[in-house]
């Protein structure tokens, strides 16, 4: 069954909504973003997450010092890194976030990380734009499906199509479960149900 990651969580209500609805992973953004959380905020929020749900820290071009410092203060399980990955031993497994845009993916290299996340082209910040990329550019058979997350513009209307096309290990949603810029508990629950009821 496809794993579901609810990303960009900033408050206790959103974290509880994601966990109660059956999320497999929850994401906390440390990169510059309107969903960015401080180390202090994240430390409080992860206390609401049951041990069976993975806690993911999201970063853009982090230094090893930044990663080490945050992981020392916040008990994360995975690091989602967009941009450059430090060439040093990392404290947790890595989801390598790639904004596909016009670039050609060097899949053998990317597959060497623990997980690969395909995201839409960058928007104002380093994260996705909330718009889906051209899925037809990618054949599912050419991708490391057991390591693959799909993100970028996913919502209730297209999540089943995305899973059918990519057959990924997991899907990652943020703006697609928001109303007026805030996480919507009803949309979170409906999204997870759609993703897991294929």
């Amino acid at each position: 069954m496809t794993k579901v990651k609810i990303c960009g969580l900033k408050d206790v209500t959103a974290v509880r909504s994601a966990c109660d609805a059956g999320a497999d992973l929850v994401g906390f953004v440390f990169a510059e973003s309107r969903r960015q959380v401080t180390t202090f905020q994240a430390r409080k929020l992860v206390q609401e997450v049951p041990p069976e749900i993975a806690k993911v820290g999201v970063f853009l071009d982090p230094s090893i010092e930044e990663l080490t410092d945050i992981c020392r203060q916040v008990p994360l399980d995975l690091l989602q890194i967009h941009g450059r990955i430090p060439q040093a031993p990392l404290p947790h497994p890595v989801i390598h976030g790639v904004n596909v845009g016009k670039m050609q993916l060097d899949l053998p290299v990317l597959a060497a990380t623990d997980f690969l996340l395909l995201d839409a082209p960058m928007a104002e910040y380093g994260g996705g734009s909330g718009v889906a990329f051209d899925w037809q550019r990618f054949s599912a058979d050419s991708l490391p499906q057991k390591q693959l997350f799909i993100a970028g513009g996913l919502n209730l209307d297209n999540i089943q199509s995305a899973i059918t096309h990519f057959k990924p290990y997991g899907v990652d949603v943020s703006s697609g479960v928001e109303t007026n810029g805030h996480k919507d508990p009803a949309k979170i629950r409906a999204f997870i149900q759609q993703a897991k009821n294929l």
Side-chain angles (χ1 to χ4, degrees):
M1 184 179 293
T2 306
K3 304 292 186 182
V4 178
K5 174 173 171 274
I6 306 295
C7 200
L9 300 174
K10 292 183 62 178
D11 59 73
V12 169
T13 298
V15 172
R16 289 176 178 170
S17 295
C19 295
D20 291 346
D24 301 287
L25 309 94
V26 290
F28 304 97
V29 179
F30 295 96
E32 184 180 359
S33 165
R34 65 183 179 87
R35 302 181 183 91
Q36 184 178 21
V37 293
T38 66
T39 303
F40 177 79
Q41 288 173 309
R43 193 164 59 243
K44 295 292 185 182
L45 293 174
V46 298
Q47 295 175 9
E48 303 292 331
V49 182
E52 66 272 15
I53 299 176
K55 301 173 291 294
V56 184
V58 181
F59 302 86
L60 173 64
D61 295 329
S63 66
I64 186 62
E65 291 79 14
E66 177 188 3
L67 292 175
T68 302
D69 180 60
I70 290 176
C71 290
R72 187 167 52 242
Q73 299 181 64
V74 183
L76 300 171
D77 300 302
L78 292 159
L79 306 176
Q80 180 176 319
I81 301 177
H82 294 253
R84 294 182 299 275
I85 298 176
Q87 298 302 301
L90 299 175
H92 299 295
V94 172
I95 301 171
H96 187 178
V98 177
N99 300 85
V100 295
K102 298 179 180 179
M103 69 174 288
Q104 296 297 313
L105 296 177
D106 186 354
L107 291 175
V109 172
L110 295 174
T113 59
D114 299 283
F115 295 96
L116 168 65
L117 181 142
L118 298 186
D119 203 349
M122 290 186 183
E124 180 181 2
Y125 298 105
S129 61
V131 177
F133 61 90
D134 182 4
W135 298 343
Q136 302 309 315
R137 288 180 52 207
F138 301 93
S139 166
D141 294 337
S142 69
L143 297 168
Q145 291 171 315
K146 293 182 180 180
Q147 299 168 280
L148 181 65
F149 282 87
I150 297 298
L154 298 180
N155 55 50
L156 286 169
D157 295 327
N158 64 15
I159 181 57
Q160 291 194 351
S161 296
I163 292 174
T164 298
H165 179 79
F166 288 103
K167 303 175 181 65
Y169 172 81
V171 293
D172 185 340
V173 64
S174 187
S175 62
V177 291
E178 292 179 351
T179 299
N180 298 324
H182 298 281
K183 291 294 184 287
D184 184 322
K187 287 184 179 179
I188 290 173
R189 184 171 298 279
F191 183 92
I192 293 173
Q193 289 176 343
Q194 288 271 31
K196 292 182 177 291
N197 283 344
L198 284 175

